[in-house]
């Protein structure tokens, strides 16, 4: 499977090859802030199959804890495109940046559900984890 996508203004484009390792939504406070209040819908893809084909992202990482993700975003329009978690050989793609977000077909898991807001909805049948799922 090859997925393509990019930022809102088109300055940043990517390709991701391989099978999704996880399709989920994250309810952690960092993702709530980053998304504007909603859970963050994402797909974990193999790092070896991911590359930027246009533009170079800006990156940001809080340095307060060693397990913080690095977030890639467009320096022009600010769209968050991907994240990288220390120790995870994968790229975490933001569903809204896919050229065809319908390929997501919904989350299979909800992570950091312990931090979700009362107005967040976890679809029926989706397994919720208080933090990350067990390895």
């Amino acid at each position: 499977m090859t997925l393509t996508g990019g930022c809102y203004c088109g300055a940043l484009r990517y390709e991701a090859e391989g099978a999704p390792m996880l399709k989920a939504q994250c309810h952690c406070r960092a993702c709530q802030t980053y998304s504007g209040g909603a859970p963050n819908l994402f797909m974990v893809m193999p790092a070896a199959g991911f590359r930027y084909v246009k533009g170079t992202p800006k990156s940001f990482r809080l340095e307060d804890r060693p397990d913080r993700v690095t977030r890639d975003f467009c320096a022009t329009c600010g769209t968050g495109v991907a994240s990288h978690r220390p120790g995870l050989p994968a790229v975490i793609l933001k569903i809204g940046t896919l050229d065809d977000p319908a390929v997501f077909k919904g989350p299979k898991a909800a992570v950091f559900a312990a931090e979700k807001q009362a107005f967040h909805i976890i679809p029926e049948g989706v397994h919720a984890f208080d933090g990350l799922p067990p390895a």
Side-chain angles (χ1 to χ4, degrees), residues 30-31 34 40 50 52 57-73 80-88 90-94:
C31 281
Y34 198 69
N40 179 28
F50 180 82
Y52 287 103
K58 294 282 278 184
S59 295
F60 176 78
R61 179 179 179 272
L62 286 174
E63 298 293 336
D64 61 338
R65 294 191 334 237
D67 64 340
R68 291 279 193 185
V69 300
T70 299
R71 297 179 186 276
D72 291 353
F73 62 95
V81 174
S83 297
H84 312 272
R85 179 174 287 284
L88 180 66
V91 175
I92 304 164
L93 290 180
K94 311 304 179 212

Side-chain angles (χ1 to χ4, degrees), residues 25-41 115-121:
Q25 60 189 47
C26 183
H27 295 271
C28 78
R29 284 294 296 135
C31 281
Q32 290 176 41
T33 300
Y34 198 69
S35 74
N40 179 28
L41 299 174
E115 297 179 38
K116 82 178 201 57
Q117 301 302 315
F119 54 85
H120 289 170
I121 296 170

